[in-house]
Amino acid sequence: MRIAFMGSPDFAVPALRALHAAGHDIAAVYCQPPRPAGRGQKETPCPVHRAALDLGLEVRTPTRLKRDTAQHEAFAALDLDVAVVAAYGLILPRAMLDAPRRGCINIHASLLPRWRGAAPIHAAILAGDAESGVTIMRMEEGLDTGPMLLKEATPIGPDTTVQALHDALAEIGARLVLRTLAEDPPAVAQPEEGVTYAAKLTKEDGRLDWSLGAAVLERRVRALNPWPGTFFECQGDQIRVLAARVEPGAGAPGTMLDDAALVATGSGALRLLRLQRPGRAAMDAEAFLRGFALPPRGGVLG
């Protein structure tokens, strides 16, 4: 088929590569424009941009689409069978949704209608869901409201991190989108019951509130690293928590229960296993504590 691919982050790269390897005619790849990154703030293309260049594909990086009729016309001129969208980052206007002969299909990283919105992978872990998955849907103007074409689930284990789930879902999405194009499955409307929304994350979402239960906080650590990162403040430093474990224990929230980084929470205790100071390497807690003093037993963390 003649396709436009529209995506930006790492999640979308396996689907782009799978479509190319399957022999589809990828007329253009749309992604977010290069942005400053790293210490030197050098203009850096996004992962899909880099992958498209490696594959020798045309790349387009418009900054807006909604009212840009020139972009609408350029998209229609591609004479597409279908557009495949995966975490692109711009909303497609009606003129573009209707341009391909088979419309636009989206690779969404949840089992719709659960976790519509911007951060479905994180949201599934934060909520303690037993499973996540990928839904291929036909796009319409509503936020992830379109009819579903194919679904595939995968379990979320007690130790599943957001990175591990992200990678698993990216591979499922690549496989499902190939099936969707080959099989042209019938569209099924999303049920009205069970709709939830995964809001866009902010840095402040990573602040650890010790009044929450230990199980909730442990899920936050698994769900929010590497970004936005989970943290607490101590001695004027923002200390990142990269791994943690729920353990028995009780005390006022934030109280240190021993000298090996066991913290009382609103319910149970959280053992901090891997920590990082600003500008320093991440360390296991034992090594971290040799160079940085958390409050002693009975002291309280910020």
Side-chain angles (χ1 to χ4, degrees), residues 31-37 42-46 49 59-63:
C31 56
Q32 290 287 300
R35 291 194 168 91
K42 180 181 178 182
E43 291 284 313
T44 303
C46 68
H49 192 155
V59 178
R60 299 181 179 184
T61 58
T63 57

Side-chain angles (χ1 to χ4, degrees), residues 81-116:
D81 292 309
V82 67
V84 175
V85 182
Y88 175 35
L90 291 179
I91 295 173
L92 302 189
R94 171 56 61 188
M96 296 180 73
L97 291 173
D98 291 343
R101 282 177 282 278
R102 284 177 56 176
C104 300
I105 61 174
N106 180 249
I107 304 171
H108 186 76
S110 81
L111 299 173
L112 290 171
R114 187 160 177 79
W115 303 130
R116 295 174 181 174

Side-chain angles (χ1 to χ4, degrees), residues 99-158:
R101 282 177 282 278
R102 284 177 56 176
C104 300
I105 61 174
N106 180 249
I107 304 171
H108 186 76
S110 81
L111 299 173
L112 290 171
R114 187 160 177 79
W115 303 130
R116 295 174 181 174
I121 303 176
H122 306 78
I125 295 177
L126 286 170
D129 290 357
E131 65 177 4
S132 181
V134 170
T135 305
I136 308 295
M137 69 173 181
R138 183 167 295 137
M139 295 178 70
E140 54 183 33
E141 289 182 286
L143 177 63
D144 301 329
T145 58
M148 303 177 295
L149 301 170
L150 285 178
K151 273 187 180 184
E152 183 175 325
T154 190
I156 299 176

